[in-house]
Amino acid sequence: MRQDEEQKGTGYRWIYGITAGICVAAMQIGVGLLQVQGQFVILMGLAQGTLVCSLTILCGGMLEWLFAPLRAADEEEGDLILHPARERIREYELAFQTLAGSFSIPKGGMVRQQAALDMGDKIELLWNTRMEENREAVSQQLLEMAHIMGDTAEHVWELRTDERMEDVLRGRLRSMGLQVHAVLVYEEENRKKEVYLTLSTRRRKCVAVKDVASAISQILDKPMMPARDSRSFVSGERSTVLFLERTNFEVMYGVKKAVKGKEQISGDNFSVYTRKEGQLLASLSDGMGSGIKAYRESERVIDLLEQFLEAGFTKETAVRMINSALLIHSDAQTFSTIDMCSINLYSGVCEFLKVGASTTFIRREHQVDTISSTSLPAGVFHQLDLENVSRKLYDGDMVIMVTDGVLDALPAGQQEELMKQLILEYDSDSPQEVAEHILSCALEYEQRNPSDDMTVLALGLWKR
């Protein structure tokens, strides 16, 4: 396409040059023929005006030709920044670096272990077994990496750009007083449209991003919105903004926690964030034991989970990587539960993934559904038993995730049924109020002295 534009520009320059030459010749001939006629002044003025106009066009073509290499370099730099496939690969790279740091062995660790080997055959056997487990874990990670890179290649080939729409957007945005440095309208197979714009304004004015989104919506004939955490205004400084198709649902959440006994910090951690693909991800992790050690383990699980998912990894791949990180990270066995809830904000379909996690509850109009798990936590075995369940959510539904401490506080054999009653008897649309009510009731069974860390995470779904 760039070669076509260069050829077209070359053709235009020849046209400009010929036009200017004809005008100059016409002016000189006209001057010679009309020296003694009264219309000389009028015709001379017309000829001079035509000459100035032609020379201006000619100079413009020459300047365009001179600055073409700089513009091409700028466009290539813009493509490097904006291209979603390249950005995705960069995110993978950062995630791999994070994972490598989690797998690294602290300095001095190998020396202590070597000293322990001299104590007997039993220690040596345990060491060899551990080494084999680590090798197996690394092998699994190499397979996962191969899968990820294959997925990345597929992602690149599935990209479909819309150059015609990009040209239309350029024209419309320029009419709004915006300088358009780069435009990319693309759509993956079975995915929503995305628009990347690199913009700035003229004469130090500001344009609201929501106005830009409105203009894009009219052109694409689809409701568009700025991506989460986008800037509110476009200013004279060049900036890149991503626009996505507006979701059909929105989610609000509330959380309430209680700490075991005399501990100062909870061993539970959680995360709720929205991905650009229109997916809301809620994660809950319960570290082994309680206190600061359990907190650090569950925090590491949540941090790694966020980074892998933000980089575009599948939930299953992210969980398997975290499992290997827990197995390799330290000599002592550590484990954490992983409870994930992924809500598609376009369709309302919710996917649950549980690894040793407690039961999740879904409150509908007059009933409560349950999602249970029988798998072991992450960090116990290399082969994980991942349990995936999907449910369709509707306007007003609420998802309630809890850690083991909440259910264990209820009488044995009645835990799930009692939890359903607690959820149904409290008629509130506020996720925060529901979370506080459930935890308060669970604490009553423990006489306000919890024997384990407790966390309740409630998410409410509403139609826009």
Side-chain angles (χ1 to χ4, degrees), residues 36 43 104 112 124 143 153 166 178 183 185 211 243 258 269-270 325 397 437-438 457 460:
V36 294
L43 294 177
S104 62
R112 292 192 299 269
E124 183 177 359
L143 292 175
E166 291 173 5
L178 293 166
V183 181
V185 179
D211 293 337
F243 296 88
N269 268 286
F270 77 97
D397 287 354
H437 168 74
I438 293 172
L457 177 61

Side-chain angles (χ1 to χ4, degrees), residues 437-458:
H437 168 74
I438 293 172
L439 188 64
S440 177
C441 293
L443 287 173
E444 289 295 332
Y445 284 95
E446 295 272 76
Q447 286 78 45
R448 297 286 168 178
N449 185 27
S451 58
D452 194 5
D453 297 322
M454 298 181 178
T455 301
V456 181
L457 177 61

Side-chain angles (χ1 to χ4, degrees), residues 80-188:
L80 184 62
I81 296 172
L82 289 174
H83 201 290
R86 289 173 179 168
E87 287 298 309
R88 188 168 182 176
I89 292 173
R90 286 177 178 176
E91 290 169 342
Y92 282 152
E93 182 182 1
L94 292 176
F96 281 131
Q97 292 174 356
T98 302
L99 186 62
S102 300
F103 285 169
S104 62
I105 300 175
K107 293 182 178 179
M110 293 297 292
V111 175
R112 292 192 299 269
Q113 291 165 0
Q114 183 64 41
L117 288 176
D118 298 333
M119 296 177 64
D121 294 339
K122 185 177 180 180
I123 300 294
E124 183 177 359
L125 178 61
L126 292 174
W127 170 246
N128 291 336
T129 301
R130 183 57 184 266
M131 287 296 294
E132 291 178 1
E133 290 177 349
N134 289 349
R135 289 177 61 185
E136 176 64 22
V138 172
S139 175
Q140 290 295 322
Q141 294 315 308
L142 290 174
L143 292 175
E144 293 294 344
M145 291 177 186
H147 171 74
I148 290 167
M149 299 314 295
D151 178 69
T152 303
E154 292 297 324
H155 175 79
V156 173
W157 284 106
E158 287 177 358
L159 291 179
R160 299 289 184 271
T161 59
D162 192 336
E163 296 181 0
R164 184 190 65 81
M165 193 61 67
E166 291 173 5
D167 292 337
V168 175
L169 279 173
R170 286 180 184 274
R172 176 64 180 275
L173 296 175
R174 284 169 181 162
S175 69
M176 297 173 60
L178 293 166
Q179 289 184 323
V180 184
H181 304 284
V183 181
L184 177 62
V185 179
Y186 91 98
E187 183 176 13
E188 288 184 58

Side-chain angles (χ1 to χ4, degrees), residues 177-452:
L178 293 166
Q179 289 184 323
V180 184
H181 304 284
V183 181
L184 177 62
V185 179
Y186 91 98
E187 183 176 13
E188 288 184 58
E189 187 176 356
N190 301 321
R191 293 278 292 276
K192 304 294 183 179
K193 279 188 181 293
E194 297 183 8
V195 179
Y196 288 81
L197 295 176
T198 300
L199 305 167
S200 63
T201 58
R202 304 187 184 99
R203 300 175 183 176
R204 298 182 180 179
K205 63 181 295 188
C206 290
V207 176
V209 171
K210 65 178 183 180
D211 293 337
V212 179
S214 178
I216 297 173
S217 300
Q218 294 176 4
I219 295 172
L220 298 182
D221 195 25
K222 294 178 182 292
M224 304 293 291
M225 65 179 185
R228 188 178 180 84
D229 299 328
S230 295
R231 60 174 58 208
S232 300
F233 292 91
V234 178
S235 62
E237 180 182 355
R238 183 184 300 194
S239 60
T240 300
V241 184
L242 169 62
F243 296 88
L244 309 168
E245 290 191 34
R246 192 176 64 192
T247 57
N248 298 318
F249 295 93
E250 58 183 352
V251 173
M252 295 183 63
Y253 76 92
V255 64
K256 189 66 176 178
K257 306 176 74 172
V259 180
K260 174 185 175 180
K262 297 182 180 180
E263 295 286 357
Q264 300 298 314
I265 190 170
S266 172
D268 301 338
N269 268 286
F270 77 97
S271 171
V272 179
Y273 70 98
T274 304
R275 298 172 65 181
K276 71 175 186 179
E277 294 88 354
Q279 294 277 342
L280 181 131
L281 290 165
S283 307
L284 188 59
S285 179
D286 182 359
M288 182 178 67
S290 60
I292 188 65
K293 181 179 178 181
Y295 169 80
R296 287 173 177 169
E297 289 299 328
S298 62
E299 180 187 40
R300 189 156 60 94
V301 167
I302 292 297
D303 287 345
L304 286 172
L305 195 58
E306 283 187 352
Q307 292 180 46
F308 291 140
L309 293 176
E310 286 179 358
F313 295 5
T314 65
K315 298 184 292 294
E316 293 78 9
T317 297
V319 170
R320 289 192 181 97
M321 285 183 161
I322 292 171
N323 182 62
S324 293
L326 292 177
L327 288 167
I328 294 176
H329 182 68
S330 62
D331 296 334
Q333 186 181 51
T334 60
F335 60 82
S336 297
T337 65
I338 301 176
D339 198 358
M340 292 181 58
C341 166
S342 174
I343 304 175
N344 188 313
L345 299 178
Y346 292 103
S347 65
V349 174
C350 183
E351 296 181 356
F352 300 91
L353 189 151
K354 290 180 171 292
V355 182
S358 184
T359 302
T360 295
F361 301 85
I362 304 175
R363 190 190 78 175
R364 303 188 186 276
E365 288 188 359
H366 304 292
Q367 67 180 28
V368 176
D369 297 336
T370 60
I371 308 293
S372 300
S373 170
T374 58
S375 61
L376 293 173
V380 178
F381 295 114
H382 294 291
Q383 298 297 329
L384 282 179
D385 183 14
L386 300 180
E387 298 180 353
N388 288 282
V389 179
S390 296
R391 292 287 187 273
K392 171 66 173 164
L393 300 182
Y394 300 93
D395 183 33
D397 287 354
M398 191 172 293
V399 176
I400 300 163
M401 306 166 67
V402 299
T403 54
D404 289 339
V406 177
L407 288 180
D408 290 344
L410 305 179
Q414 309 175 48
Q415 296 166 337
E416 289 192 8
E417 291 302 320
L418 280 174
M419 181 63 71
K420 289 181 180 180
Q421 293 178 18
L422 293 176
I423 294 171
L424 284 176
E425 71 183 13
Y426 192 72
D427 187 16
S428 173
D429 290 332
S430 169
Q432 184 61 44
E433 292 179 359
V434 170
E436 292 175 356
H437 168 74
I438 293 172
L439 188 64
S440 177
C441 293
L443 287 173
E444 289 295 332
Y445 284 95
E446 295 272 76
Q447 286 78 45
R448 297 286 168 178
N449 185 27
S451 58
D452 194 5

